[in-house]
Structure formats: structure tokens, C-alpha cells
Amino acid sequence: MNTYPSGSKIFGRYEVAGNPLIGGMGIVYICNDLQADRSVALKTFKPEYLPERAARDLFLRECTAWVELGQHPNIVRCYQIDNIELETFLVLELVSKEHGHKTASLTDWIHPGSPLSVDQALLFALQIARGMKHAGEIIPGFVHRDLKPDNILVGADTLLGTNTNRVRVTDFGLARTVENRPILAFQQSKTSDGKIYPGRTQSNNNIVGTPLYMAPEQWLNENVGVFTDGYALGCILFEMLTGRSVIDMIGMNSVDEIKNVHCLGKLSSLPESIHPEVNNLYRKLTAFDPLQRYDDWKSVEDNLSKVYFNLSGKTVPSSDEMEETSFNEKIPIGWSYNAIGTSYLDIGKTEVAVGYFKKIPALETGNKKLESAALNSLGIAYDKQGKARLAYKCFEQVINIAREIEDRGLEENALANMGIACLALGKAHQAIEFHELHLVYSREIDDRQGVGYGLANLGNAYQALGDAQRAINYYEQSLAISREIDDIQQETIALGSLGVAYDNLGDTNKAIDYLEQSLAISRETGNREAEGSAIGNIGTVIHHQGDSERAIECHNQHFAISRETGDKRGESTALGNLGIVYDSVGNTQLAIRFYEQALSINREIDFRRGISSSLEHLGLSYNDVGNNQLALECYTQALAILKELGNQSNESKVLREIGATYAGLGYQQQAIKYYEQSLAIARAIRDERGEANTLTNLGVSYHLLNNAEQAIKCYEQELAIRQELGDLNGYAKVLGKIALHYSQQGEIAQALRLAKETVRIFTQLGNLENVQLFQKLVANLQNDEPKAAFDAFQSATTFHAMQAVVDQHRLFHNSQFVQSIRNFVMNRVRPVDKQAVEQKLSWLLRIVGS
């Protein structure tokens, strides 16, 4: 187990002093808080207790409860919560131990043969009751579940006007964090010689607590309440008054024996030397029937006060309640909310995270750094939900604050986030501007990690623009930096991005190589989410290679890992990919089922961008099965979401799909209307690839309307864009369409020239299927060329027009062909026209002869 050594800094703020204190479930570091200039205890759970999202979720919830308890003299103050990736720390008040004691734990005050005095035991119990009463007032129904001497700290400070040490309750409900972890009963509580150690927190089958102090209802997994914690307090009181645990007094040492003592109501009575009033109080606290115990902490406090007064003749010390949380104390609470929210983001609880981030402004601290952190976190949460427009607004405010307080580092981070939000909105060019500025700032302050992330973000933007080659260049630079600074997380991301980019270029072998490297690192570091993502991407590449069966295996693995880790986004992605594969092999009905499951999950987690994506896929599949009405309904819903999110790139795409649906139904004019809307958006956001795709569809619709001029105009515009993008495959496809169009219009020579060029490019790309397709077109056109050449010559009315025909048709350079035309013409031409035709032919023969 790795720990932070003495002298190291956690978060760059908490300087570790000495070796950590390692308990049954947690690790505690004694630290100097360099920022707040105070000593604190940093507590975190051992890694093995928080491997599942459910456990981390519960841990965060309990941490939240502790922060919200605020300040009270009889609880250990939780100042705030900080987190590093998956590691969360509670920043706790450091309770100084009394001189002569090894630790501040009450356990260190309890020794066989050396009990506490009755007065001291009662006052300690009274303070425990007061702390618990405060917790119940702040969080109604609050139950600690693990009150025991280890969780009671006795400080060196004293109650006002007394010599009695101040007592504080700690670990508020944190034992519940392991409640849902199925582990062997009390396995962790055995000592090296195999004996049971019943004084440590236990968990088995949803039963949690420490055996020595567990009430019958805890053992039986029944309802718990104040009466349950009161029972534990009775057991603690017994220990303080006797120096031994109730179990030691009756010689029990196995878990089953301990359970029987509690569940059969066999707890020992206090020694006769203890006053009957104290014994009656103890019996009331530990009654077998919960209904016979105290059901609120005020009653416990009042009865302890009464017994103390009757025995000592003294009034109990005042509760010494603290004032309401001061203005300055709101700041650490705000930082705690931010840390808790960030941790919830890590485990996919985005909506819960948003709730915490929104709490921070209500504190009205006036602290600009805290305000900007809350806005930044909220923006990240909105981005995860697919609410890019809201995210953008948050990051915009962060930049304004950063400039106001002249925090260059904060501005640098906000610029990167602004770029990410722009890309989510489909504004790739604007995203590039932000990422380039972010890179300038990162290089100015020599932030190598920032440079690495900036390069990766630029790669993502160019990938979105369809410029995979430029994207690869940025990813490779990012990868080099991540390896240079040993940033494993970024290295994994860069490798995965390179894999996707090479797949987009059609180089599937390289794509697989990079994705397998990403997968290996993910497995080595135990990053299950990254592992699932890499496997899913490998499945996509394998599908592009034509192996649908293996692709399905990969996507099923991705789904299984996502379900295991609670990654709902991963689940929906895997289901969507399964739909795509099944759609491609003709099993559209099964594809629709997967898309519907993905849609359901995306709606469950309110992932708006995912909802629209699932609807788009469903629209395509419904079109495939001929259910155009359902397709249009899906597209319409998706379009509304995309407009709400401000995702113009996908909005343009869906408008194009709606147009294609109408075109398929034969409504070309309606289709053109949607294509033109799509085209206008694509041009406005400079989405060249989207513009080119829409021009293709427009060209087809104009062609079907016999508007050859408009069709060719669309194709030629698309051709120019494909050439500018360096998209050879797309360029060749457009050339082929134009060739087919000219062929159908009877313009054989023009069609033949373009068809031959199409064959050449597809041959260069190694696309054998298209090579064969257009070679057939070339052969057909060559068979039609003589007639086409003659028809063109006949239609020419001037020598200039005849010259153009000769230039266009290479057959005219063959004198034998010209002579055959002469014979053909002279046998069929009217006598009145023979002289004019003879002049043309003579002119033609002179050209050929020259």
C-alpha cells in the first residue's frame, strides 16, 4: 500500500509530518495546512475499501454529512474535503492528546484495573450525547452506527470552568461506506495468531458496526435509530466505569458468542460498587428491546445530567455551544462542496455533482477563487451532461473572473474548457482559436502538462473537421510530452485518440496498434473505464475491417465493463455501437433494440447529446425498414434537443437526414428545403465536410428533378471542397457521380474523361470495389464514343464549334475514323447540304493531316 512519506505535500498544501496512522479502514496523516496555517488530520479510506462506485458514492454522502455538521464543541470538525482523482481526503480538526497518553482516542484512557471515576465517565458520556444530539438536529434521523472508544477523541483542552477534558465524536457514519461490500464475516478482525479482535469495524451482508458495541437490531439487520447509538454509548459507559469491555467481563471471544450476548440480552450489570442510579442509566441505554431505550439524545443528555448532579451535587458544565458558522468558515465549506461534487463527477453521478456545485454561490463568500472553481466545475458537469451551451456560459464567466483577479493559470484552464465546449457545440474553428490561445498561455508559464492537453484538444478539433492527418500530428506531440512528464492518464488518452484518427484515415492496422497500447496501459493502471473505452474502439476498427462477429464481442466486453464500473455513458456507447454493427449486417430490428436501450440509458442520466445521437441512429434504422414516419419523429426530437444544446454541427447533419427521408419518399422539393437549411448552417460554422455531404444530397435531388445545371453546380462545389480537405476518397466519389451524370445526359466524352480519372484515383487508394465499378463505366462509354463523336460533329454549326469537338474527341485524330464519317455522311446527307458538309469534312481532314 503506497502512502505519502513525511515531508511530502498532499495537494501542494498539506505538508505531512511523520508517518501515517493506519487503522482498520482508514489512513490518517498529521499535516500542517500551509494555506490556513493550522495543523490538521487528513483522513482517507484504505484503497481496498473503495474499489466500487457504490462504495465511493456512499463514502461521499457520509463525508457530506460530516461537513454539514459544521462546528460543535463535541464533534471533530471536518473543515473541508479535497480529492486527487479517485483519492478523497477529509480535512479534520487535529485533536491534541492529553499529556501522558499515546493517542487522543478514548481507548487509550481505558485500562483493566484502572477505570475512570464515575464523575469523569458521566461527563465524558454527556459530551458524547451532546455531540450526537447536535448531529441529529442538523441531519434529522442521523445514525452513527459505529460509536466506540476508537471513535471518541479526548483532547488536552478542557470544558470551560472545569478540569474535565473535552470529548469529541469522530467518524460520523463512515462505517456505512463498506456496508454494501460483500466480504467474509469479520475476516479483517483476526490478529496474527488467529484470535478475534472484536474492537474493529466489521461488515458482512449489509450488517456493519463493531461487535463489542452493536445493538441486537444491528446484528439482525433491522431498523436502527438513536436507540442504536444509545446502546453503543451504554457499552462505552460500562468500559469507562470498569476498565474492561462487557465481553471481557463474561469471557466471550468468538463472533458468535459476542452476537449471542447482545441478541439474547445477556449484558453484564455494572459492579455493585457503582451507584444504582448509574446502573439504572446503563440498563436503560442497553435494554434488549429498542422501545425500552431512549429514543432521542435530549433525553439521554437530561438523564446523564440528572445522575451527575445527584451523585456529585454539581451542575453539569454548560454545553458551551459555538456560534453560528462564521463568514470566513463558509469558504472551506464551499471548497468541500466543490471537492465532493468533483468526486461525484468521477463516479458518474453528474446530476448530484451539479447540486453540490450550485450550493456554493448560496454561501455568498465573496471569494473569487472559490466562485471561479465552482463555475468551472459546474461547466465540466454540464459538458458531461451534453449541455454544451450552459457549459460555455460557465467557462466564459470563469475567464472574466480570471482576468479580473489576474490569475493566468486559471485563465489558461478556462480557455481549454471553452474550446472543449465550442467543439461540443459543433464550432470546431472557434474551438481551435481557444485551444491555440490556451497553448500560448501554457507555454508562457511552462506548464508541460497543459501543453500536452492543449495539443490533444487541438487534435480533437481537427479530427472533428475531418482533417485526420493534422489531428494525428497534434496527438503525436501530445503523446511525446505525456511520456516525457510521465503523465500516464494523458498517454492513454493520446494513444486512444491516435487509434481513432488512423481508423478515420482508413489505416486500420495502425489504429489497432495504438488502441492496443492504450488498452495495455489501462489494464496495467487498473483504469477500467479507459479499458472499456479502448476495447470498444478496437471493436469499431475491427468492424471497419469487415469482422462483425469479433466487433460484437468487443462491444459486449465494453458493455460488461461499463456495467461493472457503473459507467452509464460507457453502457450507452457500447449499446449504440452494437446497434451500428447489427445494422450493417442487415439485422435492423436487433439494431433498433440496441439503439432503444442506449436511448433509455441516456434519458436516465439526462445525457442530452447522447439522447440526440440515439434518436439519429433510430431514425436511420427506421428509414431502412421503411417506417419513414417514425424516422421523421426521431429526427424531429433530435433536432429539438440539438437546437436546445446549440450543437449546430449535428443540427446540420439531422436536417440533412430529414431531407434524405423526404427524398426517399419522392418529395424532392421538400428535401431540397431541408438540404438548404443544412447547407446554410454548415457554411455559417465553417463545417466543410458537412457542407460537402449536403451538396452531394442536393445534387442528387436536382438530378432527379432533371435540373442538370443545378446538379452539376452542386457536384462541382463539393469537388472543390473535397480537394481542399485533401479527401481523395470523397473527391473520387464526386468525380464518379459527375461522370455518371454526364453519361446519362449523353455527354459521352466528358463522362469518359471523368470516369477514367475516377478509376485512377480509386486505384491509387486501393479501393478495388470502386475501381471495378468505374472500369465498367469506362468500357461502356468507350463503346458509345464513335456515335457520340459523330453526333457532336453533326451538331456543330461553325468551324470554332467543330474545332472544340475535335479537341474533345480523340477519335478525330484517327484519319481512318474521319474517312468512315465521310462515307457515312455523304451516303445519308440531303443533296442540298452536300456542299456544306463536304467543306466541313475537308476542313477536318486538313486538321487530321496536320
Side-chain angles (χ1 to χ4, degrees):
M1 178 174 59
N2 295 325
T3 58
Y4 291 92
S6 181
S8 64
K9 292 184 179 68
I10 301 175
F11 302 108
R13 170 177 177 175
Y14 304 103
E15 187 172 35
V16 178
N19 295 322
L21 308 174
I22 302 176
M25 292 166 57
I27 305 172
V28 178
Y29 296 92
I30 307 304
C31 299
N32 179 27
D33 182 346
L34 301 175
Q35 185 172 312
D37 192 23
R38 65 186 170 201
S39 296
V40 295
L42 254 64
K43 179 165 186 173
T44 187
F45 265 177
K46 289 180 179 176
E48 63 264 29
Y49 283 93
L50 294 174
E52 300 99 7
R53 284 171 173 252
R56 291 184 61 213
D57 184 1
L58 192 54
F59 176 53
L60 289 166
R61 194 156 64 239
E62 299 303 334
C63 289
T64 308
W66 201 345
V67 171
E68 290 177 346
L69 291 179
Q71 188 174 12
H72 187 274
N74 298 125
I75 67 171
V76 172
R77 177 77 187 278
C78 184
Y79 294 115
Q80 66 187 70
I81 297 167
D82 279 319
N83 65 301
I84 304 174
E85 295 180 355
L86 301 182
E87 200 171 12
T88 301
F89 290 87
L90 287 79
V91 184
L92 304 173
E93 170 189 5
L94 183 62
V95 179
S96 299
K97 66 181 185 294
E98 177 63 275
H99 180 70
H101 290 269
K102 293 179 181 178
T103 69
S105 167
L106 177 59
T107 304
D108 198 49
W109 288 63
I110 299 172
H111 304 286
S114 180
L116 303 183
S117 69
V118 173
D119 285 1
Q120 189 175 38
L122 289 172
L123 287 177
F124 278 11
L126 178 68
Q127 293 180 73
I128 295 169
R130 285 174 172 170
M132 292 304 299
K133 183 179 78 168
H134 171 76
E137 288 169 349
I138 299 298
I139 307 171
F142 182 85
V143 183
H144 191 295
R145 293 180 179 230
D146 201 25
L147 277 182
K148 58 182 178 181
D150 278 348
N151 286 339
I152 309 298
L153 302 186
V154 183
D157 55 334
T158 59
L159 296 177
L160 287 177
T162 75
N163 291 321
T164 301
N165 296 76
R166 188 183 301 282
V167 169
R168 298 166 177 83
V169 184
T170 190
D171 277 8
F172 281 87
L174 292 184
R176 292 183 58 198
T177 302
V178 296
E179 182 176 340
N180 293 321
R181 293 187 76 248
I183 59 177
L184 295 176
F186 309 119
Q187 180 180 1
Q188 78 274 29
S189 298
K190 292 182 180 179
T191 59
S192 58
D193 59 1
K195 293 181 180 179
I196 296 296
Y197 174 51
R200 185 175 293 169
T201 302
Q202 318 287 320
S203 172
N204 182 54
N205 297 330
N206 292 337
I207 300 171
V208 69
T210 300
L212 294 180
Y213 312 94
M214 284 167 57
E217 61 271 17
Q218 271 180 288
W219 287 100
L220 301 174
N221 201 17
E222 295 174 349
N223 290 337
V224 296
V226 168
F227 45 83
T228 308
D229 287 339
Y231 185 96
L233 177 59
C235 295
I236 294 169
L237 180 62
F238 185 98
E239 270 189 65
M240 290 191 291
L241 292 168
T242 64
R244 302 176 67 90
S245 77
V246 106
I247 304 303
D248 288 340
M249 293 293 283
I250 53 179
M252 300 297 171
N253 59 16
S254 78
V255 172
D256 286 338
E257 288 174 327
I258 293 169
K259 178 179 178 179
N260 286 335
V261 168
H262 290 289
C263 291
L264 298 177
K266 294 181 178 180
L267 292 185
S268 299
S269 297
L270 285 166
E272 291 183 4
S273 56
I274 303 294
H275 195 282
E277 280 195 59
V278 179
N279 203 2
N280 290 339
L281 177 66
Y282 159 70
R283 281 299 184 189
K284 176 77 171 173
L285 285 166
T286 59
F288 174 75
D289 183 354
L291 296 177
Q292 300 302 312
R293 300 182 218 145
Y294 299 107
D295 61 1
D296 66 85
W297 284 107
K298 186 176 186 307
S299 298
V300 177
E301 180 187 15
D302 289 347
N303 279 277
L304 281 165
S305 300
K306 179 181 175 183
V307 172
Y308 177 80
F309 177 77
N310 290 342
L311 270 60
S312 68
K314 302 174 187 175
T315 304
V316 296
S318 68
S319 61
D320 199 23
E321 298 287 356
M322 299 291 186
E323 294 180 0
E324 194 176 327
T325 304
S326 71
F327 182 78
N328 286 336
E329 287 170 343
K330 290 179 180 179
I331 295 174
I333 291 174
W335 285 112
S336 296
Y337 286 153
N338 193 63
I340 294 167
T342 301
S343 295
Y344 271 116
L345 274 185
D346 289 341
I347 62 173
K349 298 269 186 176
T350 314
E351 197 58 47
V352 180
V354 167
Y356 278 102
F357 299 142
K358 285 183 173 179
K359 281 183 175 184
I360 298 171
L363 294 171
E364 296 181 348
T365 62
N367 185 295
K368 291 294 184 181
K369 276 190 174 291
L370 176 57
E371 183 185 347
S372 64
L375 285 165
N376 191 63
S377 299
L378 191 58
I380 292 169
Y382 281 140
D383 180 66
K384 283 181 178 286
Q385 288 182 317
K387 299 175 180 178
R389 186 176 286 161
L390 288 175
Y392 184 91
K393 288 180 179 178
C394 289
F395 298 139
E396 199 170 37
Q397 291 179 68
V398 174
I399 285 181
N400 291 336
I401 293 172
R403 287 171 178 166
E404 178 187 339
I405 62 177
E406 297 181 347
D407 187 330
R408 196 76 169 200
L410 179 63
E411 186 177 355
E412 172 205 3
N413 182 58
L415 285 166
N417 287 332
M418 285 281 277
I420 292 168
C422 280
L423 191 59
L425 287 167
K427 299 175 180 178
H429 289 285
Q430 195 174 345
I432 288 169
E433 291 173 9
F434 280 114
H435 290 316
E436 286 178 340
L437 187 55
H438 163 249
L439 263 181
V440 170
Y441 280 28
S442 298
R443 285 169 173 151
E444 273 183 13
I445 62 176
D446 196 25
D447 176 7
R448 296 294 287 158
Q449 187 178 51
V451 171
Y453 278 88
L455 290 165
N457 286 331
L458 275 171
N460 292 337
Y462 280 107
Q463 183 83 283
L465 288 172
D467 193 342
Q469 195 57 61
R470 187 176 288 189
I472 285 169
N473 179 45
Y474 283 117
Y475 291 145
E476 285 175 343
Q477 293 180 63
S478 176
L479 179 63
I481 290 174
S482 67
R483 286 172 170 168
E484 172 196 324
I485 63 175
D486 198 26
D487 185 343
I488 299 296
Q489 183 180 5
Q490 181 55 25
E491 181 180 358
T492 309
I493 294 169
L495 287 166
S497 298
L498 278 165
V500 172
Y502 274 110
D503 182 40
N504 289 337
L505 274 181
D507 192 338
T508 54
N509 291 329
K510 262 193 176 178
I512 292 286
D513 179 51
Y514 279 114
L515 288 169
E516 284 180 344
Q517 289 182 61
S518 177
L519 178 61
I521 295 174
S522 301
R523 285 173 170 164
E524 183 184 332
T525 58
N527 189 334
R528 294 286 280 161
E529 278 190 31
E531 178 185 353
S533 178
I535 291 172
N537 284 330
I538 288 171
T540 298
V541 179
I542 289 171
H543 176 225
H544 292 160
Q545 290 178 331
D547 193 340
S548 301
E549 192 173 328
R550 279 184 61 212
I552 288 169
E553 287 177 13
C554 288
H555 294 317
N556 277 326
Q557 284 183 58
H558 182 198
F559 178 78
I561 291 172
S562 298
R563 174 158 284 188
E564 173 197 325
T565 58
D567 178 11
K568 291 290 188 180
R569 291 270 289 275
E571 280 186 51
S572 69
T573 300
L575 288 165
N577 283 332
L578 281 167
I580 290 169
V581 178
Y582 280 111
D583 216 350
S584 72
V585 296
N587 196 339
T588 311
Q589 290 296 347
L590 186 54
I592 287 172
R593 280 173 51 194
F594 281 118
Y595 292 145
E596 286 175 340
Q597 290 177 55
L599 177 62
S600 176
I601 290 173
N602 286 322
R603 281 177 169 157
E604 176 192 337
I605 61 176
D606 193 30
F607 179 40
R608 307 294 285 164
R609 195 160 64 240
I611 294 170
S612 69
S613 177
S614 297
L615 287 166
E616 289 168 45
H617 283 301
L618 275 169
L620 288 167
S621 293
Y622 283 132
N623 268 334
D624 288 343
V625 296
N627 197 333
N628 307 107
Q629 188 56 47
L630 268 180
L632 286 171
E633 287 176 15
C634 288
Y635 290 141
T636 302
Q637 291 178 54
L639 193 62
I641 293 170
L642 292 166
K643 285 180 176 176
E644 167 205 327
L645 297 177
N647 190 325
Q648 292 182 293
S649 177
N650 278 22
E651 183 184 347
S652 173
K653 178 183 170 187
V654 172
L655 285 165
R656 186 166 64 247
E657 295 297 345
I658 293 174
T661 304
Y662 279 113
L665 291 169
Y667 302 122
Q668 300 305 328
Q669 293 291 358
Q670 188 80 342
I672 287 170
K673 184 181 78 172
Y674 282 101
Y675 291 149
E676 286 177 343
Q677 290 179 53
S678 171
L679 189 62
I681 293 173
R683 284 173 172 165
I685 62 173
R686 292 183 289 172
D687 178 8
E688 288 91 349
R689 190 169 291 273
E691 182 182 355
N693 291 337
T694 305
L695 284 165
T696 285
N697 289 15
L698 260 175
V700 171
S701 283
Y702 280 124
H703 174 74
L704 292 171
L705 288 172
N706 295 317
N707 190 335
E709 185 181 347
Q710 279 293 93
I712 292 293
K713 184 179 177 182
C714 289
Y715 293 145
E716 286 176 345
Q717 288 179 57
E718 182 190 359
L719 200 64
I721 293 171
R722 299 286 183 194
Q723 189 170 31
E724 184 182 336
L725 289 173
D727 179 6
L728 267 183
N729 189 59
Y731 183 84
K733 284 181 178 178
V734 181
L735 273 181
K737 285 177 188 174
I738 298 174
L740 284 167
H741 184 81
Y742 278 129
S743 171
Q744 290 165 3
Q745 295 297 316
E747 299 183 41
I748 306 301
Q750 185 79 323
L752 183 61
R753 180 178 63 81
L754 295 176
K756 286 180 177 178
E757 179 66 7
T758 303
V759 169
R760 186 189 69 77
I761 297 174
F762 278 132
T763 302
Q764 177 185 332
L765 292 171
N767 191 329
L768 297 181
E769 185 180 348
N770 279 335
V771 167
Q772 291 171 2
L773 177 67
F774 283 96
Q775 278 178 339
K776 287 180 182 177
L777 177 62
V778 168
N780 291 335
L781 289 170
Q782 284 174 334
N783 290 335
D784 290 341
E785 190 175 14
K787 180 179 181 302
F790 174 71
D791 290 343
F793 182 78
Q794 278 285 77
S795 62
T797 58
T798 66
F799 286 117
H800 179 73
M802 283 190 288
Q803 179 67 60
V805 170
V806 171
D807 290 341
Q808 187 176 3
H809 294 275
R810 294 183 61 83
L811 285 173
F812 282 116
H813 292 261
N814 183 322
S815 58
Q816 191 174 2
F817 174 69
V818 174
Q819 189 60 49
S820 68
I821 288 179
R822 185 176 190 282
N823 296 334
F824 179 82
V825 171
M826 297 308 291
N827 289 332
R828 287 165 179 76
V829 74
R830 293 182 306 172
V832 71
D833 295 327
K834 278 190 177 183
Q835 186 177 357
V837 171
E838 190 65 47
Q839 286 179 349
K840 282 187 183 181
L841 290 170
S842 298
W843 174 84
L844 181 60
L845 286 168
R846 283 201 303 276
I847 293 176
V848 172
S850 64

